[in-house]
Amino acid sequence: MRIRPLEMREWSPRILEKLAGMARAAPPEARAQGDERSDQEARPLPGMLKTVAHHPELMGPFLDFSTAIAQRGALSRRDSELLAMRAAWNCRSDFEWGHHLEYALEAGLSREEIARIPVGPSAGNWSPSESALLEAADELHERQRVSDEVWAKLSASYSEKQLVEILFVVGQYTMLSMFVNSSGVELEARYEPLPAMPPGQ
């Protein structure tokens, strides 16, 4: 741990007010089943935010952008979480993997499918569009650019709005992996860390 996490009593009042407003505005699908509280209230805040809280001027826009990606995206939650999980694996981020494992399961990815994410597009049993998403995530990680070949595969399945979002989703979770890996944010005990490297990886 390189930067001391701030307890919520130390957070900027403006950020606390923003969080409360976001919880009140959470859409119905974000609410925990059988619970009147929003999902954000029912699930503990990610420990990463305790580190970002050192910079209130960044925290507000970051929360807005993260909410847009998570709740107002054009991609299906399944596709978005597949991209997030592959980015977390490529960046070797225990924190992002652990948190998005829960989200991926909620989005409909099975444990067997999640176990194939570290192998990537070559694992087989992916749909053509899912394989293209994994290829795009890998190319963005390795070269910061999607090749014409993979772009053509994506364009066959996704709208222009969704294509824009694919790039932002991979960029978002790559950025967050860089942040938590470098600042020393620790994965909370309730979450699962990265699995072991598959053979040949």
Side-chain angles (χ1 to χ4, degrees):
M1 186 182 298
R2 292 176 169 177
I3 301 175
R4 179 182 68 86
L6 292 181
E7 296 302 324
M8 291 190 73
R9 65 178 180 275
E10 302 176 272
W11 289 21
S12 159
R14 186 175 65 216
I15 294 302
L16 292 174
E17 183 177 347
K18 184 175 189 65
L19 282 170
M22 290 171 64
R24 288 192 297 271
E29 60 269 22
R31 296 184 181 277
Q33 189 171 8
D35 193 333
E36 288 304 314
R37 297 173 300 167
S38 72
D39 186 55
Q40 187 173 23
E41 292 174 300
R43 174 181 281 133
L45 286 173
M48 173 190 66
L49 293 181
K50 295 181 179 180
T51 304
V52 182
H54 282 279
H55 200 318
E57 292 78 12
L58 284 181
M59 176 80 101
F62 167 70
L63 289 172
D64 288 337
F65 184 74
S66 296
T67 299
I69 288 285
Q71 296 183 10
R72 297 194 292 274
L75 292 171
S76 71
R77 293 303 309 145
R78 179 186 169 89
D79 283 350
S80 186
E81 290 306 323
L82 185 62
L83 288 169
M85 293 290 282
R86 187 60 180 174
W89 173 260
N90 284 335
C91 294
R92 301 298 188 264
S93 173
D94 276 326
F95 187 92
E96 289 301 314
W97 178 274
H99 279 261
H100 282 276
L101 174 58
E102 285 200 355
Y103 302 144
L105 290 168
E106 292 170 3
L109 283 158
S110 69
R111 282 277 180 178
E112 187 275 331
E113 289 172 320
I114 289 169
R116 286 194 271 118
I117 290 174
V119 181
S122 65
N125 297 321
W126 298 115
S127 71
S129 62
E130 290 169 340
S131 181
L133 289 176
L134 292 168
E135 289 183 83
D138 287 355
E139 289 190 341
L140 288 167
H141 180 75
E142 294 164 9
R143 298 194 293 274
Q144 295 76 56
R145 186 180 188 278
V146 177
S147 66
D148 290 342
E149 178 185 0
V150 173
W151 191 261
K153 294 178 185 178
L154 293 173
S155 298
S157 299
Y158 296 100
S159 69
E160 290 183 331
K161 183 176 183 179
Q162 290 172 317
L163 291 170
V164 169
E165 190 171 319
I166 287 167
L167 305 179
F168 270 107
V169 169
V170 175
Q172 161 85 338
Y173 296 114
T174 297
M175 176 189 71
L176 293 181
S177 294
M178 292 165 59
F179 175 77
V180 295
N181 288 352
S182 296
S183 63
V185 175
E186 297 176 347
L187 179 65
E188 300 91 337
R190 64 177 287 224
Y191 296 102
E192 297 178 35
L194 287 162
M197 296 274 283
Q201 290 287 297

